[in-house]
Amino acid sequence: MWKRILLFGLIGLVLGTAVALFLFRKELQFLDFGDPVFTEEIPESRPKRLDRRELARFSDQSMEQILETLANEKLSTARPEEVKVEPTTTERLLASLPDAPLPFPGEAEPSDEKWLRDFITSMKKEDGSEPTADELWQFNLALAALKISPDQLPESLRQNTNPENESDTLSVRFAMRESELIGPFAIGNFDGEPGPEILDQGGGRMSKLAGAGSPIPLDSHALRYPGNGLYPSDFDSDGDLDLYLTRGDGFPDSLLRNDGSGQFEDITIETGLLSFRDTAIAAWIDYDADGLRDLLVGSTDQPLELYHQTEGGGFQPVAWDLKLWVPRGVDEIVVSDISSDGFPDFFLGIEGLPDRFCANRPAGNWSDWRFEDIIAEAGLSYARNGSVTVFDFNNDGATDLLVNSEKGELALYINQGDLNFLDVTSEIGLPNFSDITAIAPVDMDNDGFQDLVVGTGPLQINRVLWNRGGLALREISVTSGISFLDEPVEIVGSDLDQNGASDLVYRNRSGKIRLFEASGDLQAWTRLQLSELVPGTRVSILVRDSDWILHPIERVVGTKSDFTVGLGDADVIESIKVFYPGDTEPARELQKMVPNQLLEIELPERPKKRATVPIG
C-alpha cells in the first residue's frame, strides 16, 4: 500500500510542479540556464533568441513605454561625473584650423590662433630626433592657417599646403551652405510637399531643404527617441517614405510608418520586429522579388537577421531557415543586383570574420532559397576584408564594384556578366589614398557618368575623382571646392534644390553635417519621379546630342522614387524605358522628350510572385 501511496504522491508532485511552472513561467525566468554560444557553424535547430528575457519582461508594454523605461534606467545608472576625455593633438589641431577647404582662402581665419602658435613653438624636438611625416604635415598646416610663409622654413621641413587646381575644364564648383545639422541623417521627401527634407539628430529633427539658404527646422515632425541609423523606404507601397530607425546599445529599433505628411507611427511590435540588440546596420532588400520589401539587420552582439515581409505587412525572421548565418559582428551591408537576374545580392562586412559577397540563389520552394558567398568564385579577393561601393562606372547597365581593401588600397572591378569581374585598377588610373573613411558615386557634372567623392582621415583633404567617359579617372579634389580636412564618414549626393545639379551632403566623425551646393555650367539633365518604387528597377535612357549621336544612360533605382539623371550634351531624350527587376520588357516607355525638366512616370502595379513564407 505504501508503494502505491508514494507513487501517486510523486505523480501529483510532478503534475503540480508542471502547472506551477506554466502559471508562473514569466516570474521564473531565472530558470533559463544561460545563452548559447554561437559559432560560424549553423545551428541544427532554431537557435534561442538572445533577447528572450527582455522580450518577456516587456511583453505587455507599448513601444513608447519600453523606450521610456530603458531611457530612465540608463539615466539612473549613469555616472554622476563622467570622466572627461582630453582631445588628441589631431582633434585639437583640426578644431583650431580655419573651417575651410585646403588651400585655405585668404579670408579664412583660424578658430584658435593662440593654440596654433603654442602648437608651433612646442614642436621643437628637445632630444634632437627628426620629426615624423605626420608631425611635419601638422606643423605646415598650422603655419598655413596663421598665414606664415613656408619660405621661412628649411626646405627639408616644407610641405605643400597650397595645392593648385587640377583642372580648368571642370565647370562645376561646390560652395558650402551654412547649417547646424548633426548626424545621423537621411534625405527624402517625407511630407509629400515639393522638395526634399532632411532628418538629422538621428531622427530628432526634420528640416526643409527646398530652395537656397539654410535648412529650416520643422519642429512638429521631430521624433522623441532618435537613433544611430536612419533607413527610409516605402515599405508598405503607399507612396510615402517610411523609416526603419536603429538605436543600438540594447535599445530596440523602430519601424515608423509615415502617414503621408511626415508624421510617423511606431508599428514595431505589431509587425513582429521588436528586438533588443546592439544594432550596427540595416538595409531594405526585396530578396525574393515578390514586390514586398524585406529587411536585413546586422548587430555587434547577435546573429544577422533577414526579415521577410508577408502579404499582411508583418515581418518573419528567416535567416536561419535559409541557412544565412553570421553569428555576430555584421557592421556593413551593401545591396545590389550584381548578377542582373532580378534578385538582389548583398555584401556583408563582418567584424572579426571574413567578409562575404552573397549571391542570391532563388528556388521554387522558399525553404530551398540560399545565399552563396562568391568572393572567391568572382575573383574578388580584395573584398574579403574591406568595404565595397557599388556603381555603374562605364554606364553599361551592369553594377561594377569599387573595393577598399583591408590595407587601404582601392581596386575597381568591371562587371562583365555571369559573375565575371575584370580588375581595371591600373588601366583607369585609380589612385590610392591612405585611410579612406567613406566613398560615394555622384555625377557632379551631369555628363551621365558617375564620379567618386572620397572621404579620408582627419587632416587629409577629401578626394574627388572625375569619371572621364567610363575610361579613366582624374583627380579634381581642389578644383571641386570640397577639399576639407574633417574626416567624412558618410557621403550622399542629392539634388537638394531640384535644379538638376547633384549637391553633396556629408557627416564627419564628430557628427557635423556639411551641405555643398553645386553651381556652374551644368550639362543637360532630367528629374524622374516614378509612381511605383521597386528597388532594383532599371531605367534605360537614350539621348541624342547636337551632332545626332546617340548616347545610352543606365540607372538603377535605390530607395528614392524621384531622382536626377545627368544627360551630357543631350538635345533630345529619344526614349526612357523603365524595367522592373529581372524583366526584359519595359513596364513603361516614353519617347521624344525635352531635357531639363521633371518627368512623372506612371508605372503599372507589379504582379506578386509568391505567397507568404510559412514559418514552423
Side-chain angles (χ1 to χ4, degrees), residues 308-331:
H308 173 264
Q309 186 182 170
T310 69
E311 291 181 353
F315 288 85
Q316 296 173 323
V318 297
W320 175 81
D321 303 85
L322 305 183
K323 309 306 179 189
L324 176 62
W325 179 257
V326 182
R328 71 194 61 81
V330 173
D331 56 12

Side-chain angles (χ1 to χ4, degrees), residues 336-373:
S336 179
D337 181 11
I338 64 170
S339 55
S340 301
D341 63 353
F343 295 94
D345 315 295
F346 50 91
F347 172 82
L348 298 177
I350 311 169
E351 181 68 28
L353 292 173
D355 299 335
R356 304 182 193 177
F357 215 126
C358 298
N360 202 331
R361 303 301 191 202
N365 186 343
W366 80 269
S367 60
D368 293 331
W369 215 285
R370 292 294 180 267
F371 302 94
E372 180 186 354
D373 184 3

